[in-house]
Amino acid sequence: MPDSNFYDMTDGIFAKLAGIWTQRGYTRYRVSRFEEYDLYAKNRSFITGSAILTFTDTDGRLMALKPDVTLSVIRNTVPSPALRKLYYCESVYRAADPSSGFSEIRQAGLECIGPVGLFDVCEVITLAARSLAALSDRYILDLSHLGLLGGFMEDAGIDQSLRPELLRLAGEKNSHEARALLARNGVSPQIAGLFDTMIHLRAPLEEAVAKLSALPLGEHAAAALSELARVARALRGTPNLYLELSLRSDERYYQGVVMRGYIPGVPSPVLSGGRYDGLMRRLHRDAGAMGFAVYLNLLERVLPEPEALDADVLILHDGSDPEGLMRRIAALEAQGSRVRADRAVPEGFRCGKVLRYDGGEVHE
Amino acid sequence: MNDMLNVALPKGRLGDKVYALFEKAGYGCDDIADPGRKLVFESPEHGVRYFYVKPSDVAIYVERGAADIGVAGKDILLEYAPEVYELLDFGVGRCRMCVCGRPDFRDDPSRTLRVATKFTRITRDYYTGLGRSIDMIHLNGSIELAPILGLSDVIVDIVETGATLRENGLEVLAEVCGISARLIANKVSYKFKYEAVTALASRLQGNIEVTQ
């Protein structure tokens, strides 16, 4: 589990992110550390990682230490015709794979729930971009629209049974196997070529949308592209936004725009989100939703190194003149020094200099 | 240091073969010819840094971002399913993942099939696809012994020439999938070093097509 230093450092980052989110009227939402297991059992595949920590509560109910925040936010917010704009910073508990054991993962994010329109989608993307910019000025935010590849396969008449495998290969940018699979199933080289072009297309959002517009897309893919084009126009001028159709998200939960954010030095996405109307439906909520999470635990790699010194000055004293020592330390503090007073040098202590307090004076 | 492309190559014959392809594509590194005790080989003029690791570890180096790109066997990619891009099939190191057993073996669908293998995920996926119930026996080596000693009915293993199978009185009963060396890339490196990664992949692809 992360140590207390890590919490201090990620707290600072969360404060920055919260500052960005509150600027657009998002309000803090707190969820309990525990939730009924039933909620996760019904939506197991929404949660990354297979295992959930469970315990039996005093009233006999099977409870879980929260493995996910979004499900809890949806379940615990009262349905309302108005938009709910919420943000959170919570710990979740997961075992990514059976061999790794459980971890506490700190996660901050925001959720926009209710009658979500195109403006809200664009606002969430903007806040995602600003959140990444607060972490690194070299961030990248990849966007996709799940209706593009899905619609393309529908328009091309590709058999339903092939689609999951094709989407998996798209996620790997695996042209050679996708082409072979399509050829084996009698799909024309033209369709295979278009599929290949789409999964390898990588360009700034507006430029990519223009390139896609030049392709002979069918009705379903064109509808998704039209929505994406409106997003691209609304976000014109937002730096570091790219189109990346190889992004994968579980289509039982996500529809429409999805996104992932990256910063240098972290080998996996630090931000992930999208429009999850499907999850809302599964939880019997008649509303739309979009949000994203920032994985604070991954930022450990890029957070500033802890202070090299434990204090600037260590004053050794014999305890005989507390008043004089207090005055000396106050004088050093007034000069901006961090000071520790002790009777001996603590083991492993790192400081700029060691002074000795004796007879009302300090000596080197 | 971070501007160079870090390339993880598999140690051994396969690594030598694929390095030759990198060299042919214009990404040679003089130091590799005379390695001595060095572990890392840099070619600043070509912007690449090579290092050799255990073949089964290449995907881990790439997934975790210690290497931007690497060359891994399809068997490793199928077995560990790392979150990486698979950009190219080198077409070298070709072999097959097969179900093998005694020539007189007849599968009885009314009984659970006992399968010994190193590749448990590949085996599970294969038999799940067939709707066949199996008793998986995970072994770390000398897989061919399992059916000979009655530990399993069949094995799932890599077959290159089939010589080891023949020498032990076994044969291929079914092919699970083809295996060859693949170029993989870390998904984040791909974005931050897009031009370098795609240029290298494209030159390698060009060379492979010419060779084939």
Side-chain angles (χ1 to χ4, degrees):
Chain A
M1 286 198 182
D3 64 19
S4 55
N5 273 344
F6 177 65
Y7 272 93
D8 294 343
M9 289 188 273
T10 55
D11 280 347
I13 290 179
F14 171 60
K16 263 193 196 176
L17 299 176
I20 293 164
W21 302 339
T22 51
Q23 214 172 356
R24 286 296 180 99
Y26 277 73
T27 54
R28 177 115 193 225
Y29 188 84
R30 289 175 197 274
V31 290
S32 157
R33 192 164 290 194
F34 314 131
E35 190 75 69
E36 280 190 70
Y37 176 71
D38 195 40
L39 174 65
Y40 308 115
K42 285 179 182 159
N43 298 285
R44 195 74 184 240
S45 50
F46 181 72
I47 302 158
T48 315
S50 53
I52 296 173
L53 266 173
T54 58
F55 66 97
T56 307
D57 210 343
T58 49
D59 59 3
R61 286 180 306 160
L62 185 60
M63 305 294 287
L65 262 84
K66 231 173 27 250
D68 170 81
V69 181
T70 302
L71 283 166
S72 297
V73 172
I74 299 170
R75 171 139 123 175
N76 298 316
T77 48
V78 180
S80 149
L83 270 179
R84 305 289 303 268
K85 296 189 173 189
L86 309 166
Y87 73 89
Y88 62 83
C89 181
E90 302 285 342
S91 287
V92 295
Y93 304 87
R94 291 176 182 168
D97 68 74
S99 62
S100 64
F102 282 94
S103 311
E104 180 182 8
I105 298 164
R106 231 167 160 230
Q107 185 174 309
L110 62 78
E111 317 283 358
C112 178
I113 300 172
V116 175
L118 203 63
F119 164 77
D120 308 298
V121 170
C122 294
E123 184 176 64
V124 172
I125 296 169
T126 302
L127 291 174
R130 288 183 187 174
S131 304
L132 289 167
L135 304 177
S136 166
D137 53 6
R138 289 185 57 213
Y139 77 89
I140 287 175
L141 180 58
D142 279 355
L143 293 183
S144 183
H145 190 300
L146 296 181
L148 263 162
L149 278 186
F152 173 78
M153 292 190 289
E154 179 72 31
D155 296 330
I158 292 172
D159 195 84
Q160 286 278 2
S161 63
L162 295 181
R163 295 183 196 178
E165 179 63 1
L166 275 175
L167 288 175
R168 188 188 69 74
L169 293 172
E172 292 177 357
K173 291 188 180 285
N174 188 336
S175 297
H176 42 283
E177 288 184 14
R179 278 182 183 273
L181 178 68
L182 290 168
R184 272 200 309 277
N185 287 277
V187 176
S188 73
Q190 289 77 15
I191 296 291
L194 273 175
F195 185 78
D196 197 38
T197 302
M198 289 172 82
I199 66 173
H200 283 285
L201 176 61
R202 180 166 181 80
L205 184 60
E206 246 190 313
E207 184 187 326
V209 165
K211 285 182 177 168
L212 280 173
S213 302
L215 299 178
L217 299 178
E219 177 193 354
H220 293 90
L225 181 59
S226 158
E227 190 182 325
L228 199 60
R230 290 184 69 192
V231 170
R233 280 198 298 276
L235 294 174
R236 185 172 291 160
T238 308
N240 306 339
L241 280 187
Y242 288 83
L243 183 76
E244 178 57 82
L245 295 180
S246 73
L247 288 189
R248 290 176 68 209
S249 291
D250 192 327
E251 296 196 4
R252 284 171 297 178
Y253 306 109
Y254 289 95
Q255 275 105 37
V257 174
V258 291
M259 56 188 167
R260 300 281 187 281
Y262 311 89
I263 57 173
V266 183
S268 58
V270 295
L271 181 149
S272 173
R275 191 150 182 178
Y276 53 90
D277 295 16
L279 177 63
M280 296 292 283
R281 276 197 297 280
R282 284 174 79 100
L283 293 171
H284 311 294
R285 294 296 175 94
D286 182 23
M290 179 149 176
F292 62 82
V294 178
Y295 305 115
L296 297 178
N297 58 313
L298 296 178
L299 302 177
E300 201 176 13
R301 278 170 163 246
V302 288
L303 290 171
E305 289 289 316
E307 292 269 357
L309 299 178
D310 299 313
D312 300 315
V313 181
L314 171 66
I315 298 184
L316 297 175
H317 65 100
D318 61 8
S320 62
D321 180 15
E323 297 86 352
L325 181 59
M326 291 290 279
R327 281 195 297 277
R328 279 289 168 193
I329 291 176
L332 286 166
E333 281 181 324
Q335 293 164 18
S337 295
R338 295 174 302 140
V339 186
R340 171 163 173 157
D342 213 320
R343 310 235 171 155
V345 180
E347 199 178 325
F349 194 75
R350 296 161 302 173
C351 60
K353 62 180 170 182
V354 180
L355 301 177
R356 212 165 277 281
Y357 180 76
D358 188 17
E361 298 296 329
V362 286
H363 313 281
E364 292 270 346
Chain B
M1 169 136 182
N2 285 333
D3 292 337
M4 294 181 93
L5 268 187
N6 291 308
V7 186
L9 296 177
K11 274 182 189 167
R13 247 183 331 150
L14 180 61
D16 296 340
K17 265 187 188 173
V18 290
Y19 169 70
L21 293 171
F22 277 83
E23 192 176 33
K24 207 170 161 192
Y27 292 88
C29 177
D30 296 341
D31 287 357
I32 287 186
D34 180 24
R37 288 177 181 273
K38 281 178 80 171
L39 297 171
V40 178
F41 307 94
E42 286 190 5
S43 171
E45 66 273 31
H46 299 124
V48 287
R49 177 185 295 114
Y50 295 101
F51 48 91
Y52 286 92
V53 299
K54 199 173 165 184
S56 55
D57 288 342
V58 169
I60 297 168
Y61 277 83
V62 175
E63 185 180 33
R64 294 270 182 161
D68 300 308
I69 59 171
V71 178
K74 186 65 184 177
D75 52 327
I76 300 298
L77 301 178
L78 289 172
E79 186 59 25
Y80 299 106
E83 270 293 321
V84 294
Y85 290 136
E86 184 182 319
L87 300 177
L88 208 57
D89 180 353
F90 282 99
V92 297
R94 276 193 196 281
C95 48
R96 299 175 296 157
M97 185 69 69
C98 296
V99 179
C100 311
R102 290 169 170 276
D104 58 352
F105 171 75
R106 293 291 170 268
D107 189 8
D108 176 358
S110 67
R111 297 170 64 175
T112 302
L113 185 69
R114 296 174 305 152
V115 187
T117 187
K118 249 194 303 197
F119 302 96
T120 52
R121 184 196 286 249
I122 295 173
T123 302
R124 190 189 60 219
D125 289 351
Y126 175 68
Y127 283 105
T128 300
L130 297 177
R132 183 76 168 94
S133 158
I134 62 164
D135 174 13
M136 179 106 69
I137 302 162
H138 180 237
L139 295 177
N140 293 303
S142 303
I143 315 292
E144 294 85 358
L145 265 179
I148 295 169
L149 298 179
L151 176 64
S152 73
D153 299 314
V154 294
I155 61 172
V156 171
D157 205 8
I158 292 174
V159 177
E160 205 171 332
T161 62
T164 312
L165 287 178
R166 282 191 296 278
E167 281 171 23
N168 289 287
L170 302 175
E171 67 179 29
V172 171
L173 303 174
E175 183 174 324
V176 176
C177 59
I179 304 288
S180 56
R182 310 293 166 100
L183 178 69
I184 59 173
N186 175 275
K187 290 189 171 183
V188 181
S189 297
Y190 182 86
K191 295 161 205 309
F192 284 107
K193 298 182 177 179
Y194 179 71
E195 281 77 19
V197 173
T198 49
L200 185 146
S202 162
R203 290 174 77 168
L204 284 168
Q205 171 85 59
N207 265 298
I208 291 166
E209 278 167 5
V210 168
T211 310
Q212 286 171 349

